[in-house]
Amino acid sequence: MFIPLHDANRLKHIRYQYVTLGIIGLNFLVWCAISLGGTGLAQATALSLGYIPSVAYDLAVLPPELDLVPTPFTYITYSFLHADLLHLGGNMLFLWVFGDNVEDALGHLRYLIFYLACTVAGAAFHGMVMPESQAPLIGASGAVAGVIAAYLILHPRVKLWVLAFARIPLRVPAWLALVVWIGTQFFMFVVDEENQVSWAAHIGGIVAGTILVVPMRRRGVPLFDRRIVAPEAAQIERS
């Protein structure tokens, strides 16, 4: 589809995107630590900290040695685990390009709450669609999908540099690239029943991000790149 490279969208309310960078750094540290332990540790961690719908719905039980955290925690912990470097790098690249401006619009603390809420929404919808699944869900794509949806609501007119089909550099409006990306998630959710990608988690994140960005944004932050125009003295009318 496309790989985001850069957006010409300066920060307006914060000096630096500390939360976005912290999330990216934590994801890489977790992946490195698990990778050093080999395949066995990766599989055990996915079962212990990944989100397993059948366990969440009390249809299955983990062995005691893998039951490391309360099941509600896995609605968040799953998002910090990734299958391989490509899986991790793709999610973190999208978060790097789009997360800073969403953090700027919400503020650091509300952005962190927003990100975690989209994480939970991704797992929850995945579980609703596949309640009997015994496969662990891992990856940050549900949360990242929420960030992408929020960016579309906030900055549809910003120009993005992307690699279309992973090889053709193009400069396009954000709305074009992101509407195509979001539309693809819904399309794949309907037609692709066998793929290992959880399109349901993406959709859960998209819906949560679309809903939450409106009330959680800073006061005065416009939607859809609208400009706030202050009335000029000459335009003030007396009554």
Side-chain angles (χ1 to χ4, degrees):
M1 192 169 21
F2 77 91
I3 298 173
L5 299 176
H6 175 69
D7 65 333
N9 197 0
R10 294 181 298 175
L11 301 177
K12 302 177 180 65
H13 304 285
I14 61 175
R15 299 185 68 179
Y16 216 67
Q17 63 273 33
Y18 298 111
V19 177
T20 297
L21 292 176
I23 292 170
I24 292 172
L26 180 58
N27 273 277
F28 272 102
L29 286 175
V30 169
W31 182 81
C32 289
I34 293 174
S35 297
L36 291 175
T39 304
L41 178 61
Q43 293 176 346
T45 305
L47 290 169
S48 300
L49 302 180
Y51 172 74
I52 304 176
S54 59
V55 174
Y57 282 87
D58 295 324
L59 301 175
V61 178
L62 284 172
E65 65 273 14
L66 295 176
D67 192 9
L68 301 182
V69 299
T71 300
F73 286 20
T74 63
Y75 281 82
I76 291 177
T77 55
Y78 83 94
S79 70
F80 294 94
L81 309 176
H82 289 84
D84 51 43
L85 188 58
L86 183 62
H87 185 205
L88 171 66
N91 280 334
M92 294 304 101
L93 177 59
F94 273 80
L95 187 60
W96 167 260
V97 174
F98 301 115
D100 58 341
N101 295 108
V102 179
E103 183 176 348
D104 184 52
L106 273 60
H108 301 302
L109 179 58
R110 277 179 291 187
Y111 172 72
L112 177 59
I113 296 171
F114 169 89
Y115 183 90
L116 295 178
C118 292
T119 300
V120 172
F125 191 62
H126 172 79
M128 289 173 60
V129 173
M130 306 176 64
E132 298 181 357
S133 173
Q134 297 186 19
L137 173 68
I138 61 173
S141 53
V144 173
V147 171
I148 292 171
Y151 191 99
L152 176 61
I153 299 295
L154 294 166
H155 303 296
R157 301 179 186 177
V158 168
K159 297 293 186 180
L160 298 178
W161 275 104
V162 303
L163 281 180
F165 306 107
R167 61 184 62 193
I168 306 172
L170 295 174
R171 189 168 183 259
V172 298
W175 70 263
L176 178 60
L178 300 187
V179 164
V180 169
W181 186 87
I182 291 173
T184 301
Q185 311 312 300
F186 281 88
F187 175 78
M188 295 303 293
F189 173 70
V190 173
V191 303
D192 188 3
E193 299 180 355
E194 302 297 331
N195 200 293
Q196 292 184 332
V197 176
S198 174
W199 307 107
H202 296 188
I203 291 173
I206 290 167
V207 173
T210 302
I211 294 172
L212 292 176
V213 68
V214 177
M216 292 188 72
R217 74 191 193 280
R218 294 173 185 270
R219 181 179 299 178
V221 170
L223 302 176
F224 306 109
D225 283 322
R226 292 174 180 158
R227 293 183 180 181
I228 300 177
V229 180
E232 299 177 2
Q235 297 175 327
I236 299 176
E237 298 179 357
R238 299 182 181 181
S239 61

